[in-house]
Structure formats: structure tokens, C-alpha cells
């Protein structure tokens, strides 16, 4: 699944993000939601295939892997996640694919568009570090494997 995360969706224009998205905190939030909504058996059955493969803290885009059997459970759990840390969040699934190759292609297209929007919003405050970090993130997507 290619997923975008909205941090505190009720805020108008955030100046600084209240939480930095990482693979760990996104994974923990979804696992906790699976546990609460589907119980220990639901969590145990989905842990074998569930994995957060990629997170971009700039564009808030994630690639999440789950087996066909657990996909609806993981998607439902993501829908019910309300916060990461103390920050309100909202997950939006942009693409659902049966292979990592199709997810990579969809994620690359989304990343390019979202980074262009980010550059327009930031304007002259765009630093070389952010541009370099974004290029590194695009390379991470390109080398993703199972």
C-alpha cells in the first residue's frame, strides 16, 4: 500500500511538524491499532507479513507491506489510528497493489508531485539538505525489494 499521512489534519498551515515520522512510530501505531481492534490473535496473524518498508518524513508518504490475507485488516487498523505520539494523524491510502514493483512506481509518482508542492509551499526557505534528503528517499524507493 502507498499511504500518505496527514499530521494534525485540523491545523491550517503547520509551521513545524509536531512529530517526525519514522518507520518505527508508524509501525507501532498500526500494530497497536491492530491489537486494540482485532485482539492478540489478529495481531499475531498479521505480524508475519506486516512491514513498513519506507517512510518519507518530508512528504509524509509511506509504503506498507501486508499479505493479501491481512491487507484489509491492516487497512482497517490504519483507518482507526488517531495519533502517533501526541499528534493527531490521518492515514490516506493512495494505491493498493499486488507487487512491490507496482507500489514503487506509484510511490515515485506521488513523491515527485508531493515534493513539488512542498517546494512551492516552502519557497526560498528550501535548503540543500532537504533537497539531498529527498533525493536519498527517492533512491530508497528505487531499490526496495520484497
Amino acid at each position: 500500500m502507498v499511504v500518505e499521512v496527514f499530521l494534525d489534519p485540523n491545523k491550517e498551515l503547520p509551521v513545524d511538524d509536531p512529530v517526525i515520522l519514522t518507520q518505527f512510530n508508524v509501525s507501532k501505531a498500526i500494530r497497536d491499532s491492530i491489537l486494540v481492534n482485532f485482539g492478540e490473535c489478529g495481531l499475531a496473524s498479521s505480524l508475519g507479513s506486516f512491514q513498513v518498508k519506507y517512510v518519507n518524513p518530508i512528504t509524509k508518504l509511506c509504503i506498507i507491506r501486508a499479505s493479501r490475507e491481512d491487507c484489509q485488516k491492516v487497512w482497517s487498523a490504519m483507518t482507526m489510528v488517531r495519533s502517533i505520539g501526541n499528534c493527531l494523524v490521518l492515514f490516506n491510502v493512495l494505491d493498493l497493489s499486488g507487487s512491490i514493483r507496482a507500489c514503487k512506481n506509484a510511490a515515485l509518482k506521488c513523491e515527485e508531485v508531493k515534493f513539488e508542492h512542498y517546494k512551492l509551499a516552502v519557497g526560498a526557505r528550501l535548503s540543500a539538505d532537504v533537497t539531498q534528503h529527498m533525493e536519498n528517499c527517492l533512491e530508497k524507493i528505487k531499490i526496495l525489494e520484497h
Side-chain angles (χ1 to χ4, degrees):
M1 290 180 263
V2 178
V3 179
E4 67 182 329
V5 181
F6 295 105
L7 297 179
D8 202 355
N10 297 326
K11 264 187 165 179
E12 288 299 316
L13 286 173
V15 177
D16 289 325
D17 291 334
V19 67
I20 296 174
L21 289 182
T22 64
Q23 286 179 317
F24 175 77
N25 60 20
V26 171
S27 178
K28 183 176 179 345
I30 296 170
R31 278 185 285 138
D32 290 348
S33 179
I34 293 171
L35 179 62
V36 167
N37 295 296
F38 297 98
E40 290 179 2
C41 289
L43 179 62
S45 70
S46 63
L47 281 181
S49 68
F50 172 72
Q51 188 178 14
V52 177
K53 300 287 279 182
Y54 167 81
V55 174
N56 186 334
I58 297 171
T59 60
K60 315 294 186 272
L61 201 77
C62 307
I63 296 177
I64 297 172
R65 181 183 179 278
S67 67
R68 293 178 201 272
E69 295 81 25
D70 296 320
C71 183
Q72 286 186 328
K73 186 188 314 174
V74 172
W75 192 342
S76 298
M78 280 191 305
T79 303
M80 293 182 249
V81 170
R82 293 290 164 240
S83 64
I84 294 178
N86 293 329
C87 179
L88 296 175
V89 296
L90 182 69
F91 286 89
N92 181 30
V93 176
L94 299 174
D95 187 66
L96 177 65
S97 302
S99 70
I100 193 72
R101 182 179 297 142
C103 268
K104 283 170 31 175
N105 293 337
L108 285 170
K109 287 178 187 173
C110 291
E111 284 285 44
E112 290 169 5
V113 170
K114 287 178 76 64
F115 190 58
E116 289 301 318
H117 284 114
Y118 178 81
K119 286 196 288 191
L120 290 174
V122 172
R125 294 180 294 148
L126 183 67
S127 68
D129 290 342
V130 171
T131 305
Q132 181 62 44
H133 182 73
M134 190 62 201
E135 288 174 11
N136 292 343
C137 287
L138 290 174
E139 285 301 315
K140 282 183 192 175
I141 292 176
K142 291 176 184 173
I143 62 170
L144 275 179
E145 293 293 326
H146 305 287

